[in-house]
Amino acid sequence: MAKEPKNYSRRDFLKTSGVAAGALIGGGIIGGLIGANANNTAAPGEAPATSEGGSAGGVRGLMFFKNDAEFQILAQATERIFPEDDLGPGAIGLGVPYFIDRQLAGAYGENSKEYMQGPFLEGETTQGYQSRLKRNEMFRQGLQIMQQEAQSRFKANFVDLEGGQMDEILTAFQEDEIQMSGVNALFFFRLLRMATLEGAYADPIYGGNQNMEGWKMKGFPGHQAAYINDIESEDFVEIEPHSLGMQN
């Protein structure tokens, strides 16, 4: 019998993500919740175009994905993990899919700075990276299996599913019920979830957190040159966020 999905709010999601205090702990975001809008039956948002009309308002090309269909699956999966709601934009609106695309094309996706020689043994869930696969290979395989699961379970493409159906597939990954090659489904899900959160809250210079909306939702000031003019103020000071890519 299928498990009844729970209805989580964005605030519940952030609390269980370890980011409720406004800080993103690199490498340590391993979650329990995927369906922040699990009972939301509204049609998922459209992913931004891969050429003109992207979320940046200009031309945004892809660096890793050569198949737009895979990129759209990624976009919808990240939106289910970090959905748009009354607090602000979701993963798509924040440009998270483009952030992940850029990361997969670089040292992160290629595991360039990590030891990747054998022997390769199946590690415990508490251990770190144990796979012979590079991260970009894991992502590509995971997205392809999402599509296969959508076809098998619902006779439809993943991007055409209702939100609850997408959540069912993502939950199957989270609960390690999906068979993957060279990596277990839970580890892939954790990578996907962590990358989604990083794209939502990293400096916009890396391609996500569009217009610093992720920071604005949390009142995070970004990278300020100094606080000397405000530090002794007895009143609460609201500071406009500042990105590394902005001119001082």
Side-chain angles (χ1 to χ4, degrees):
M1 179 179 294
K3 295 182 179 180
E4 189 70 20
K6 298 180 180 179
N7 187 22
Y8 295 108
S9 69
R10 171 78 70 84
R11 287 189 177 89
D12 292 331
F13 172 78
L14 294 179
K15 288 178 182 177
T16 57
S17 300
V19 294
L24 186 66
I25 303 173
I29 301 175
I30 298 175
L33 304 180
I34 63 120
N37 58 349
N39 282 337
N40 185 353
T41 57
E46 292 295 326
T50 57
S51 55
E52 295 184 0
S55 61
V59 176
R60 298 196 72 176
L62 299 179
M63 299 179 66
F64 172 72
F65 289 100
K66 303 298 187 292
N67 182 336
D68 185 64
E70 287 182 348
F71 182 72
Q72 298 302 322
I73 294 172
L74 172 69
Q76 296 300 333
T78 59
E79 183 72 11
R80 295 308 297 173
I81 293 172
F82 197 94
E84 179 180 1
D85 62 12
D86 58 343
L87 297 180
I92 290 176
L94 290 169
V96 169
Y98 289 103
F99 167 85
I100 295 176
D101 174 70
R102 290 179 64 173
Q103 296 303 310
L104 295 180
Y108 169 84
E110 290 290 330
N111 296 70
S112 299
K113 299 181 180 180
E114 297 167 68
Y115 183 82
M116 293 293 290
Q117 302 300 315
F120 296 98
L121 303 175
E122 184 175 353
E124 299 295 329
T125 57
T126 55
Q127 291 179 301
Y129 211 95
Q130 301 291 321
S131 176
R132 68 178 68 243
L133 298 179
K134 297 181 293 186
R135 291 186 186 88
N136 54 26
E137 293 173 329
M138 287 186 191
F139 268 80
R140 176 153 283 156
Q141 179 187 169
L143 296 175
Q144 291 172 350
I145 293 177
M146 285 184 197
Q147 173 68 1
Q148 293 169 9
E149 288 293 316
Q151 293 282 354
S152 174
R153 295 172 187 239
F154 306 110
K155 310 301 181 186
N157 294 324
F158 185 86
V159 297
D160 296 326
L161 299 180
E162 295 180 355
Q165 294 171 326
M166 291 183 185
D167 289 346
E168 178 181 317
I169 293 174
L170 290 171
T171 300
F173 277 91
Q174 183 185 23
E175 297 183 354
D176 211 13
E177 298 172 351
I178 303 292
Q179 185 66 39
M180 295 185 66
S181 176
V183 63
N184 63 56
L186 172 59
F187 187 78
F188 164 70
F189 175 81
R190 288 175 171 175
L191 281 185
L192 173 63
R193 187 175 184 276
M194 186 185 305
T196 300
L197 289 172
E198 290 174 350
Y201 293 116
D203 192 289
I205 198 172
Y206 298 108
N209 191 10
Q210 185 65 38
N211 297 323
M212 297 178 286
E213 291 296 333
W215 289 350
K216 292 174 183 177
M217 281 188 281
K218 300 185 72 62
F220 180 65
H223 304 280
Q224 302 289 327
Y227 296 92
I228 192 169
N229 295 327
D230 304 310
I231 196 169
E232 294 184 359
S233 174
E234 296 182 359
D235 299 321
F236 179 80
V237 179
E238 292 187 8
I239 301 175
E240 284 295 316
H242 194 282
S243 166
L244 288 171
M246 296 172 63
Q247 297 292 330
N248 289 323

